[in-house]
Amino acid sequence: MTSTPKPSETSRFLERLAAIVGPGHLCTDPADLDPWLTDWRGRYKGRALGLARPGSTAEVQALVRACGAAGVPMVPQGGNTGLCGGATPDTSGRALLIQLGRLNRIRSLDAGNHSLIAEAGCTLAQVQEAAQQAGLLFPLSLASEGSCQIGGNLSTNAGGVQVLRYGTTRELVLGIEAVLPNGECWEGLQALRKNNTGYDLRQLLIGAEGTLGIITAAVLRLFPPPSIRVTGWLGVASPAAAVTLLNRFQQRFDAHLTAFELVCPLSLALVRRHIGGIPKLPDAPWHVLCELGESDPAADLQARVEAFLAAGCEAGELTGAVLAQSDSQRQGLWRIRETISEAQKQQGPSIKHDLALPISAIAAFLEQVAQPLQQAFPGIRHVAFGHLGDGNLHFNLSMADAAANRALLERQAEANRIVHDLVHALGGSISAEHGLGQLKREEIRRYKSAVEMAAMQAIKNALDPAGLMNPGKVL
């Protein structure tokens, strides 16, 4: 363990950092630091030695080398939109926050190769816009896309609403540039679909949450954009009915189906209460938001979907359906889904779960988890929504009464055990797209084997033997 440096040593160290990043790009004032010391949910609050904003990969290297020599922990941070405390420092006040927002250039775009190189501080929306200007699509889509940054998306292997068609962030990355814990830069920006030359360091760094290095740039895959989008809000009787409908959609429309989201009635009620602006929707026990895309402008996708849904309503498989008739209506339907988390935040704190399950097991999970939760916490409410098409369910717990909700939050470990044990028994994972951060760092030990944990620790020890790179996260 490194000893606490003397004030004079700290002052000289900060002067060295300021010389690296230039005037105005090292922040040590507590008031200016404060917004970056709390995670998006407000669950974690840390302290930091300072916050450095490097403007180049070379400056990131110099910061990492300086911190390594001084034994100072480093916490990489992007847009600070993470949900598991992965970009929040601990309370020791010893760590340096390395905020990557100044690395915000689109370095190049190769339309013929359907790829672009973006620096880690580019927002997701900025990358989407660059692709759009070239007549292409970067399909990663998140509610926080205006503020989340590509480096953070890669570090947590973000999912989003179009994993069903395009895959998670892992599938969207061809190459990476990263500064390793020893200060060396791995320049892996090859824009290749196939590269079978040994260990895939790219995939090792994606999802590592900054514990193995700091991603500074990436080669991202682009796609032809759909010229036609068909977006529908559907009413279904149950999650099991939604899964059956998903299978029928895939059989009928195959890769044209890009998103298939499940929404419970309480989710919808929270958005109606705290966000508003909800159009008339089918009255149903459960809801599905689906979207299909077609690149051929002459295709009859809209008519085919309308006929498919009409047959489903006639057969009793749907309780109703609304198809967007304009782009503004499409955006209105997506706004409902994308503001569920914000509506929950306004309602009050809850116990949040980001679960992955085999799609065929989602209905069983929702049926089986209800009784033990109700027995342990009478009156508990379930907010269930998420990416049914890829098996990612957000399952959040709360009480209607504020005092009862505070009591529930104090028993979070007990609630987690009920939920996570069932997820594990059904062959699922307790983290689908949000990562582990510090929220699930200890919990994951119950569900990963000793062999797997030892292998992960060995990789960490090999790349970061001093344990200075985002300590206390993941492991």
Side-chain angles (χ1 to χ4, degrees):
M1 182 177 294
T2 333
S3 59
T4 303
K6 299 176 182 178
S8 59
E9 294 173 345
T10 299
S11 179
R12 287 194 296 271
F13 176 70
L14 292 173
E15 288 174 2
R16 182 180 178 188
L17 299 184
I20 291 170
V21 296
H25 299 303
L26 179 70
C27 171
T28 57
D29 182 86
D32 294 334
L33 277 174
D34 191 67
W36 307 102
L37 300 177
T38 305
D39 71 308
W40 185 83
R41 286 177 173 165
R43 180 183 179 92
Y44 296 104
K45 176 76 173 181
R47 296 171 57 235
L49 184 65
L51 181 147
R53 295 186 175 93
S56 67
T57 299
E59 289 183 7
V60 176
Q61 286 185 265
L63 289 172
V64 171
R65 286 171 175 156
C67 288
V72 172
M74 293 159 276
V75 179
Q77 191 177 90
N80 200 26
T81 59
L83 300 177
C84 292
T88 306
D90 62 23
T91 58
S92 70
R94 295 185 55 250
L96 176 71
L97 279 171
I98 300 179
Q99 216 284 335
L100 297 167
R102 291 179 63 214
L103 276 70
N104 59 3
R105 295 183 304 126
I106 303 294
R107 292 186 185 174
S108 64
L109 191 150
D110 185 346
N113 191 52
H114 282 195
S115 64
L116 64 75
I117 299 178
E119 292 184 336
C122 292
T123 65
L124 176 52
Q126 182 183 351
V127 173
Q128 293 169 339
E129 176 64 22
Q132 185 178 14
Q133 289 179 0
L136 295 167
L137 170 74
F138 183 61
L140 183 63
S141 180
L142 310 172
S144 60
E145 58 197 30
S147 52
C148 67
Q149 296 176 9
I150 286 297
N153 297 150
L154 271 63
S155 291
T156 58
N157 186 30
V161 298
Q162 299 200 75
V163 171
L164 173 60
R165 168 65 179 86
Y166 298 101
T168 64
T169 300
R170 287 188 186 280
E171 284 74 50
L172 302 177
V173 180
L174 299 176
I176 278 179
E177 174 189 271
V179 176
L180 300 179
N182 63 1
E184 296 292 329
C185 179
W186 172 50
E187 298 177 354
L189 294 176
Q190 293 176 293
L192 303 175
R193 269 73 177 174
K194 291 183 177 180
N195 183 7
N196 199 9
T197 53
Y199 302 138
D200 195 340
L201 301 181
R202 166 194 55 164
Q203 295 296 355
L204 187 62
L205 289 165
I206 296 172
E209 302 186 52
T211 62
L212 301 178
I214 300 176
I215 295 171
T216 52
V219 186
L220 304 175
R221 293 180 63 193
L222 306 179
F223 297 81
S227 57
I228 300 170
R229 284 191 175 100
V230 180
T231 307
W233 191 280
L234 318 176
V236 293
S238 66
V243 171
T244 299
L245 183 64
L246 169 64
N247 290 330
R248 292 199 59 234
F249 258 107
Q250 290 176 314
Q251 290 170 1
R252 179 68 179 85
F253 298 101
D254 194 22
H256 292 305
L257 184 64
T258 60
F260 201 89
E261 301 287 303
L262 182 69
V263 178
C264 77
L266 183 53
S267 300
L268 192 58
L270 290 174
V271 174
R272 183 173 282 115
R273 180 184 307 163
H274 296 288
I275 308 297
I278 294 181
K280 184 173 176 56
L281 300 172
D283 185 18
W286 284 79
H287 304 268
V288 165
L289 173 60
C290 67
E291 186 161 282
L292 302 92
E294 168 63 71
S295 58
D296 181 2
D300 60 347
L301 183 61
Q302 178 92 12
R304 290 165 57 204
V305 173
E306 287 176 354
F308 176 83
L309 295 178
C313 289
E314 186 175 345
E317 297 169 345
L318 298 169
T319 63
V322 172
L323 287 183
Q325 300 301 313
S326 66
D327 190 59
S328 63
Q329 289 183 9
R330 171 185 174 270
Q331 292 177 11
L333 293 178
W334 274 110
R335 178 175 173 271
I336 298 170
R337 166 62 184 86
E338 291 170 349
T339 54
I340 292 174
S341 293
E342 179 60 33
Q344 273 201 286
K345 188 176 181 181
Q346 292 188 33
Q347 177 71 16
S350 59
I351 299 175
K352 299 182 183 298
H353 301 99
D354 167 40
L355 311 173
L357 288 152
I359 296 170
S360 57
I362 285 180
F365 167 78
L366 290 169
E367 290 170 5
Q368 294 175 31
V369 79
Q371 183 177 357
L373 282 174
Q374 198 61 231
Q375 287 177 341
F377 310 98
I380 197 168
R381 304 184 305 176
H382 312 157
V383 172
F385 65 98
H387 320 301
L388 183 66
D390 57 63
N392 180 189
L393 186 69
H394 300 300
F395 185 70
N396 304 333
L397 306 173
S398 65
M399 295 284 193
D401 176 75
N405 200 51
R406 287 193 295 271
L408 172 65
L409 294 174
E410 291 174 358
R411 298 172 63 190
Q412 176 165 346
E414 186 179 345
N416 285 347
R417 187 54 39 83
I418 294 171
V419 172
H420 291 163
D421 279 0
L422 179 57
V423 168
H424 184 67
L426 292 171
S429 165
I430 68 170
S431 181
E433 63 179 357
H434 295 164
L436 297 176
Q438 50 191 304
L439 177 65
K440 301 176 184 177
R441 179 190 61 202
E442 300 301 325
E443 185 78 355
I444 196 62
R445 297 164 64 89
R446 180 176 174 86
Y447 304 104
K448 282 188 178 291
S449 70
V451 171
E452 189 172 4
M453 292 301 299
M456 289 173 59
Q457 189 65 60
I459 293 169
K460 171 71 170 174
N461 293 343
L463 291 179
D464 184 23
L468 296 177
M469 194 62 69
N470 210 10
K473 317 297 168 51
V474 181
L475 293 170

